[in-house]
Amino acid sequence: MADYLIKREGYIAKLPSTIENVLAQRRLADEKDGLTVLNDLAKSLTTIKDLDEVMRRVVSAARELIKAEASVLWLFEAGVLWPVAWEGIEDRAAEPLRFALTHNFAERLARERKVSVRHLLAQAGGPPPTAIFGTSGQALAVSFVGPEGLVAILAVGSARPREFTAVEERLLLALADHAAVAVENARLYRRLRQELEARERLTAILDVTTDLVAISDLSARLLYLNGAGQSLLGLTAEESLGLPIAGLVPERLRPVVQDEILPTLLRDGRWTGEAVLLARDGREVAVSVVAVAHRAADGAVEFLSAIVRDMTERKRIEAELRRQREALYQTEKLTTMGTVLAGVAHELNNPLTAVTGYAGLLRQDLAGTPSATRAENIALAADRCDSIVRCCFFISFSSIG
């Protein structure tokens, strides 16, 4: 073969271009393989909603795309880069790689797209790249960018000496662009799912709360009425939806709701007081109300809510207490009057005894004389006074006893 190469005329002159063609074909094949990996990844990510699975697919695809020995993905949340997925790296090496980033540094990473792993780790106070990717510490990293800035950092690395090419950089950037959309969508889905779960938990709590809980829009129409409210007013959830708040009170009180309560609530953000609700069967229910106007970050009122407690039993107890207090007051008055009467009767009884005795003696002494009638009248009057005193004693003893 060597003899052929030497003897073949002009071959040596063509050898460099031949090698370049072979390398170019190799690069085209690698790029084609890379585009196939990107296409497969893009298709798979469109059907995945779980954030953890998205990130696992991304690090696996990055490793395959660049034919690297290791890959790691950091998610940027709350000013911190969190290692969330990795391949070809030991867990004990990857898990501690959490870095706080300044706002300016995060903006710079999002703007420049190509990331120096060595510089990133140095700025964040992390270990050298060799601690992650092995002895050579060769790494290629890019940033994921979303509408609000930095989303994530993806790095691939090799323990053996290697120079990453411009084509590999372009492929990794293309992967990052596909993945950034998928990660943002998965994060949004996770956030919505968490909010939905939180709302379902809150609804479950509100539905077993014994107080009426209601939520309305700014036009004062019900968006939600819990189970206790439905039972109190005799409504179903479907019937309560969209019902005007003013329709829940007797007609005579509707102007108070429209002209006083709602304007105060919107102005001050809170209203507390007592009110009367009108049940479906026509019953009027005395209630206490705590209403709140909920505001957004810009201060605009978004919706209204109220916690309403049925005061029927409390009102009954209060009425019973008033009746008992009145009865006790009357009893105390009678007791006081009895005590006074007993004292007066006692004071009258002593002199009256003397009058009665002397009247009896006088009647005996004047018997058969013209003055006997007068003596008799005195004795009768004294007996009558004695009867009155005994009656006072009886009343006083009955009142006190």
Side-chain angles (χ1 to χ4, degrees):
M1 183 67 177
D3 182 59
Y4 172 77
L5 288 175
I6 293 171
K7 289 181 179 181
R8 186 174 178 85
E9 185 179 352
Y11 188 82
I12 296 298
K14 295 178 180 178
L15 188 58
S17 62
T18 302
I19 294 173
E20 182 60 34
N21 287 337
V22 171
L23 292 175
Q25 290 175 4
R26 177 65 180 272
R27 285 194 296 269
L28 286 173
D30 288 344
E31 193 162 352
K32 183 179 179 181
D33 291 342
L35 291 174
T36 301
V37 171
L38 286 175
N39 188 51
D40 292 342
L41 177 66
K43 287 180 180 178
S44 68
L45 291 182
T46 58
T47 61
I48 300 173
K49 295 179 180 179
D50 181 70
L51 181 59
D52 294 333
E53 181 61 23
V54 167
M55 294 183 294
R56 283 193 294 270
R57 295 283 183 97
V58 169
V59 295
S60 180
R63 191 178 178 190
E64 180 183 357
L65 180 67
I66 308 300
K67 295 180 174 58
E69 297 172 12
S71 58
V72 59
L73 178 66
W74 287 276
L75 197 62
F76 185 61
E77 287 186 321
V80 176
L81 278 177
W82 302 87
V84 290
W86 53 85
E87 280 191 3
I89 301 172
E90 292 186 5
D91 291 348
R92 60 185 177 86
E95 289 174 350
L97 300 178
R98 301 186 182 98
F99 313 122
L101 300 184
T102 65
H103 179 71
N104 291 339
F105 192 34
E107 284 188 339
R108 178 182 166 187
L109 293 173
R111 184 174 60 253
E112 294 180 353
R113 297 302 307 279
K114 183 179 179 181
V115 177
S116 168
V117 174
R118 189 177 303 276
H119 182 59
L120 170 64
L121 297 177
Q123 284 280 67
T130 53
I132 304 173
F133 298 111
T135 53
S136 75
Q138 296 296 321
L140 175 64
V142 296
S143 60
F144 292 16
V145 182
E148 298 181 1
L150 183 64
V151 174
I153 300 290
L154 173 63
V156 294
S158 176
R160 56 186 171 81
R162 174 180 177 178
E163 291 295 330
F164 292 99
T165 66
V167 172
E168 290 171 330
E169 182 182 328
R170 288 198 301 271
L171 289 173
L172 196 62
L173 281 169
L175 183 149
D177 290 337
H178 283 297
V181 175
V183 168
E184 284 290 84
N185 288 341
R187 289 170 80 174
L188 176 61
Y189 178 76
R190 172 181 283 186
R191 187 160 56 248
L192 292 175
R193 186 180 63 192
Q194 290 171 343
E195 290 177 359
L196 179 61
E197 290 172 353
R199 186 175 299 177
E200 289 174 348
R201 287 194 295 270
L202 178 60
T203 300
I205 293 171
L206 294 180
D207 278 339
V208 297
T209 300
T210 56
D211 290 334
L212 180 155
V213 179
I215 299 173
S216 79
D217 58 20
L218 296 185
S219 63
R221 289 184 175 274
L222 285 178
L223 300 174
Y224 170 78
L225 182 67
N226 72 337
Q230 296 166 27
S231 298
L232 181 65
L233 300 175
L235 299 171
T236 65
E238 292 75 17
E239 290 169 338
S240 64
L241 190 63
L243 194 65
I245 291 177
L248 301 177
V249 301
E251 189 171 353
R252 70 181 185 279
L253 297 178
R254 290 173 188 174
V256 177
V257 174
Q258 296 288 1
D259 302 334
E260 296 182 22
I261 296 177
L262 286 176
T264 301
L265 177 58
L266 293 172
R267 183 186 68 245
D268 300 339
R270 185 181 179 88
W271 185 86
T272 59
E274 294 190 0
V276 176
L277 295 183
L278 183 65
R280 187 175 187 176
D281 58 6
R283 290 179 298 109
E284 292 191 1
V285 183
V287 295
S288 65
V289 181
V290 177
V292 178
H294 298 266
R295 300 183 184 275
D298 61 0
V301 176
E302 289 188 315
F303 63 94
L304 311 175
S305 71
I307 299 177
V308 180
R309 177 160 294 180
D310 183 359
M311 300 286 285
T312 302
E313 182 63 16
R314 179 175 172 179
K315 293 290 186 182
R316 186 193 67 77
I317 293 173
E318 288 177 350
E320 178 63 20
L321 288 175
R322 284 195 299 271
R323 187 192 67 76
Q324 291 180 3
R325 281 197 296 268
E326 181 63 26
L328 179 61
Y329 174 68
Q330 294 297 332
T331 300
E332 289 176 345
K333 281 203 307 183
L334 289 174
T335 301
T336 302
M337 184 177 68
T339 302
V340 172
L341 281 175
V344 171
H346 178 74
E347 292 298 323
L348 288 176
N349 189 55
N350 290 333
L352 185 58
T353 301
V355 171
T356 302
Y358 284 118
L361 294 173
L362 186 62
R363 184 170 51 186
Q364 292 176 2
D365 292 343
L366 297 177
T369 65
S371 298
T373 303
R374 296 189 182 93
E376 184 67 23
N377 290 337
I378 292 172
L380 291 173
D383 290 340
R384 184 180 177 188
C385 288
D386 182 62
S387 176
I388 292 173
V389 169
R390 284 196 303 273
C391 183
C392 286
F393 271 123
F394 177 77
I395 292 174
S396 67
F397 290 151
S398 297
S399 300
I400 296 173

